[in-house]
């Protein structure tokens, strides 16, 4: 059945399979990191919109007075809402997300709220998403991606 019984013809095949599986592993790791970043971004948009809506009475009063200015951003309320919504654990200036086994999946820096226009109710939240990069079960490095999300409330009439 096999002409060469020493196995010399299979080395190239084994190397090609190994290289292809390594390349596939890199693509899967990249797709996973992109999915984490996209999910965190969408969650932070949801929480920022909710934060703006919760403060809508103050905002509406400002709009009735002819401007959309507010006195403060209440950053701590936003961070607490984000921590609760995304099941983060806050340690220092970072919010950590863990899997069921207690291993860190990713973490983000504490979001910084700012006005996109000076004093107006066009609010942005900026933070860095840090995703650990593993290869063969060993942490190689961290991928750091800056993220900025915006929310605004304005008059409709």
């Amino acid at each position: 059945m096999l002409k060469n019984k020493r196995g010399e013809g299979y080395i190239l095949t084994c190397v090609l399979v190994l290289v292809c599986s390594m390349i596939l592993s890199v693509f899967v790791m990249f797709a996973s990191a992109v999915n984490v970043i996209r999910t965190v971004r969408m969650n932070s948009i949801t929480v920022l919109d909710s934060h703006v809506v919760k403060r809508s009475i103050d905002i509406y009063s400002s709009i009735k007075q002819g401007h959309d200015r507010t006195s403060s951003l209440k950053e701590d309320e936003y961070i607490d809402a984000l921590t609760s919504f995304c099941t983060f654990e806050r340690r220092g200036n970072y919010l950590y997300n863990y899997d069921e086994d207690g291993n860190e999946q990713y973490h983000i820096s504490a979001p910084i709220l700012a006005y996109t226009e000076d004093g107006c109710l066009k609010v942005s939240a900026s933070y860095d998403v840090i995703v650990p990069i593993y290869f063969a079960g060993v942490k190689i490095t961290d991928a750091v991606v800056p993220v900025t999300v915006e929310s605004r409330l304005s008059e409709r009439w």
Side-chain angles (χ1 to χ4, degrees):
M1 212 179 244
L2 298 173
K3 293 183 181 182
N4 186 350
K5 301 220 181 223
R6 294 187 317 199
E8 293 171 347
Y10 299 109
I11 292 175
L12 179 62
T13 305
C14 291
V15 169
L16 288 175
V17 167
L18 183 63
V19 168
C20 289
S21 62
M22 289 174 72
I23 291 172
L24 181 64
S25 171
V26 168
F27 284 129
V28 167
M29 178 187 57
F30 177 76
S32 174
V34 168
N35 187 40
V36 163
I37 294 165
R38 191 174 290 152
T39 301
V40 170
R41 185 175 187 285
M42 294 305 296
N43 287 343
S44 62
I45 288 172
T46 302
V47 173
L48 187 60
D49 287 344
S50 174
H51 180 71
V52 169
V53 169
K54 281 182 184 176
R55 302 206 47 238
S56 64
I57 293 173
D58 296 335
I59 296 161
Y60 183 68
S61 295
S62 295
I63 291 172
K64 285 192 321 186
Q65 294 172 5
H67 57 82
D68 57 356
R69 301 182 192 288
T70 57
S71 58
S72 68
L73 291 174
K74 299 187 180 180
E75 193 170 274
D76 288 335
E77 286 182 13
Y78 173 73
I79 292 173
D80 291 341
L82 185 64
T83 300
S84 175
F85 187 77
C86 296
T87 63
F88 285 129
E89 182 178 310
R90 188 171 186 178
R91 285 194 276 144
N93 288 332
Y94 292 96
L95 307 174
Y96 290 86
N97 185 281
Y98 297 100
D99 61 10
E100 299 84 29
D101 298 328
N103 300 320
E104 177 190 341
Q105 290 183 317
Y106 62 91
H107 62 279
I108 68 170
S109 61
I112 299 170
L113 292 182
Y115 294 111
T116 56
E117 292 180 25
D118 190 33
C120 296
L121 190 69
K122 293 165 182 75
V123 180
S124 68
S126 300
Y127 55 90
D128 292 329
V129 178
I130 299 101
V131 180
I133 304 297
Y134 293 95
F135 186 74
V138 177
K139 182 178 176 180
I140 297 173
T141 187
D142 290 327
V144 180
V145 179
V147 176
T148 300
V149 296
E150 294 182 2
S151 182
R152 62 182 60 204
L153 184 66
S154 59
E155 57 187 310
R156 293 283 181 181
W157 58 89

